[in-house]
């Protein structure tokens, strides 16, 4: 399998770090970012297939984070946010160079290909700029947004500070599993809750095989990095002359928005009794095709509630653990591999795992 890690950040660096009149920025952005044949051409090819309603995007919008910020790219991935600090962006791009980011990504993807791949497939990985004044990315995603829910395309935004690079392998493993699942099953990949649980379960299982010592692999992309609040304080004080990131004012399509003190719920595992109860509840929802059901089942009540959707009693992050337990149960019961799970329809995994038959 051939995967291209495009030199996106090298191409876009000048656009995001140099000061110029907004009209000139927009003019320069065309051939680099906004038109077909640009640094993000692979994204435009995918949009030509899926339009603006990409798989799983509506679910992510309901919780206000996760891969949404990589996929949707609010304000041109921050380029047209007038509140964004150019000095912060200059530090960000310099840090990518110092860490040899693109090489690190390529190395992780090569490891993932040895664990799970489709021999005849091709893929693209786009590394996209962050925006240090983006509320959903920095507060609710802890500086990480990864999206792989389309065939053969991975989109990644990763703020290169505050311990965030430790999450790079898990982020790529999740997106790798997602995009492979879509390469196999196409438009039938995410029809109902069962499909979401299986896809995320395969992703977490792949993360465990990539990082065997990593505890709770299903939560790896959602945990707050150690020292993240200190990193936010550093950003606020160094580049925005603001003592607390919560008080920083950003610009969202012309509206002044205060970052605020809301934070995502902690990413914690379920105790055994709660896991059994959640599994029993989700067993009755497997055929549900409503995005809000998927959001609540996967992320729990906390994140949807922060976006105005009342809770239904689902613990935070519950669906990700259920999906992981489901897939690992099927693999163990069948003596199968993750490659087998990748190709198996969700209904087959549900039935053959017998995971939902007696969860309580």
């Amino acid at each position: 399998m051939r995967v291209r890690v495009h030199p996106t950040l090298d191409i876009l660096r000048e656009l995001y770090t140099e000061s110029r009149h907004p009209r000139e920025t927009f003019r320069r952005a065309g051939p680099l970012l906004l038109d077909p044949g640009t640094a993000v051409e692979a994204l435009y090819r995918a949009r030509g297939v899926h339009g603006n309603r990409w798989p799983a995007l509506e679910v992510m919008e309901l919780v206000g984070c996760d891969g949404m910020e990589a996929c949707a790219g609010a304000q041109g991935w921050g380029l047209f946010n007038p509140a964004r600090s150019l000095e912060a962006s200059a530090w960000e791009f310099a840090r990518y160079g110092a860490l040899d980011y693109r090489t690190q990504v390529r190395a992780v993807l090569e490891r993932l290909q040895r664990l799970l791949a489709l021999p005849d497939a091709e893929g693209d990985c786009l590394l996209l700029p962050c925006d240090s004044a983006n509320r959903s990315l920095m507060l609710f995603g802890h500086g990480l947004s990864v999206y792989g829910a389309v065939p053969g395309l991975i989109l990644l935004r990763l703020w290169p500070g505050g311990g965030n690079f430790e999450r790079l392998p898990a982020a790529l493993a999740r997106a790798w599993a997602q995009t492979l699942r879509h390469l196999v099953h196409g438009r039938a990949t995410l029809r109902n809750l069962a499909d979401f649980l299986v896809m995320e379960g395969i992703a977490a299982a792949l993360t465990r095989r990539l990082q065997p010592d990593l505890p709770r692999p299903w939560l790896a992309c959602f945990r707050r990095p150690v020292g993240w609040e200190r990193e936010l304080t550093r950003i606020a004080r160094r580049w925005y002359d603001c003592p607390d990131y919560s008080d920083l004012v950003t610009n969202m399509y012309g509206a002044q928005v205060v970052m605020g003190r809301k934070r995502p719920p902690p990413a914690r595992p379920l105790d055994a009794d709660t896991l059994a109860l959640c599994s029993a509840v989700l067993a009755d929802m497997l055929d549900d095709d409503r995005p809000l059901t998927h959001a609540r089942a996967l992320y729990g009540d906390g994140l949807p509630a922060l976006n105005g959707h009342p809770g239904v009693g689902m613990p935070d992050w519950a669906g990700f653990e259920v999906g992981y337990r489901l897939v690992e149960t099927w693999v163990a019961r069948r003596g199968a591999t993750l490659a087998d799970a990748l190709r198996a329809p969700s209904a087959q995994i549900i039935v053959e795992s017998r995971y939902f038959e007696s969860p309580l």
Side-chain angles (χ1 to χ4, degrees):
M1 181 169 180
R2 179 175 174 235
V3 182
R4 297 168 290 270
V5 183
H6 295 261
T8 323
L9 295 171
D10 294 336
I11 297 170
L12 297 178
R13 178 172 183 159
E14 178 184 352
L15 189 63
Y16 281 80
T17 59
E18 294 192 5
S19 176
R20 53 179 65 90
H21 192 279
R23 284 196 297 271
E24 179 64 11
T25 297
F26 189 81
R27 186 187 71 80
R28 288 174 176 259
L32 293 177
L33 191 68
L34 304 178
D35 301 331
T38 65
V40 293
E41 180 181 2
L43 182 146
Y44 285 103
R45 288 201 305 269
R47 283 185 178 170
V49 175
H50 296 282
N52 292 326
R53 306 311 306 170
W54 285 29
L57 181 58
E58 190 171 359
V59 175
M60 294 173 181
E61 288 174 340
L62 288 166
V63 299
C65 63
D66 204 358
M68 176 189 74
E69 278 300 339
C71 180
Q75 295 173 289
W77 294 280
L79 178 63
F80 302 112
N81 179 2
R84 176 179 58 91
S85 164
L86 291 177
E87 291 79 9
S89 292
W91 177 89
E92 172 194 347
F93 277 81
R95 184 72 173 154
Y96 291 139
L99 292 168
D100 204 2
Y101 182 28
R102 187 179 173 211
T103 299
Q104 285 199 52
V105 169
R106 187 184 293 113
V108 174
L109 289 174
E110 288 173 355
R111 290 169 58 198
L112 287 166
Q113 287 182 76
R114 292 193 289 270
L115 291 169
L116 186 64
L118 299 171
D120 298 327
E122 294 189 356
D124 297 281
C125 179
L126 299 182
L127 309 178
L128 299 164
C130 290
D131 176 0
S132 56
N134 181 292
R135 184 172 180 265
S136 61
L137 175 65
M138 301 301 282
L139 288 185
F140 293 93
H142 309 308
L144 168 66
S145 181
V146 61
Y147 182 90
V150 289
L153 178 63
I154 293 173
L155 306 174
L156 178 65
R157 301 177 80 181
L158 182 67
W159 178 258
N164 233 4
F165 255 65
E166 295 178 4
R167 297 200 288 167
L168 178 62
L172 288 172
R174 183 178 176 222
W176 183 252
Q178 290 175 340
T179 198
L180 290 183
R181 184 80 175 167
H182 279 78
L183 279 166
V184 172
H185 296 279
R187 292 184 176 273
T189 305
L190 294 177
R191 300 161 301 176
N192 53 32
L193 178 59
D195 292 330
F196 272 91
L197 293 176
V198 168
M199 183 185 72
E200 292 293 352
I202 294 171
L206 178 60
T207 301
R208 185 175 74 82
R209 285 151 180 76
L210 179 69
Q211 297 180 283
D213 297 328
L214 183 69
R216 306 174 189 95
W218 62 92
L219 294 176
C221 289
F222 308 114
R223 284 199 199 97
R224 183 174 64 185
V226 175
W228 184 248
E229 286 295 328
R230 290 195 299 274
E231 176 68 4
L232 292 178
T233 299
R234 183 186 75 88
I235 292 169
R237 293 178 178 177
R238 180 173 179 180
W239 292 304
Y240 294 96
D241 194 26
C242 184
D244 191 322
Y245 194 89
S246 299
D247 298 324
L248 192 154
V249 179
T250 189
N251 183 298
M252 182 56 68
Y253 296 106
Q256 301 299 301
V257 178
V258 178
M259 293 295 187
R261 285 169 169 74
K262 292 181 179 179
R263 300 291 188 271
R268 295 171 178 159
L270 306 174
D271 62 61
D273 289 342
T274 304
L275 174 61
L277 179 59
C278 290
S279 298
V281 171
L282 296 185
D284 293 329
M285 303 161 58
L286 295 174
D287 294 328
D288 199 312
D289 62 358
R290 292 170 294 181
L292 184 55
T293 298
H294 302 161
R296 287 168 170 159
L298 290 170
Y299 300 89
D301 283 355
L303 281 170
L306 288 175
N307 287 276
H309 305 286
V312 293
M314 184 61 63
D316 296 314
W317 315 106
F320 293 99
E321 183 164 358
V322 171
Y324 171 73
R325 304 292 182 191
L326 164 67
V327 169
E328 291 287 29
T329 298
W330 183 81
V331 167
R333 185 178 291 275
R334 289 291 308 275
T337 66
L338 278 190
D340 297 326
L342 192 70
R343 292 178 170 85
S346 300
Q348 178 184 344
I349 291 177
I350 298 292
V351 171
E352 294 179 348
S353 71
R354 298 167 59 186
Y355 178 82
F356 293 108
E357 288 184 9
S358 56
L360 290 176

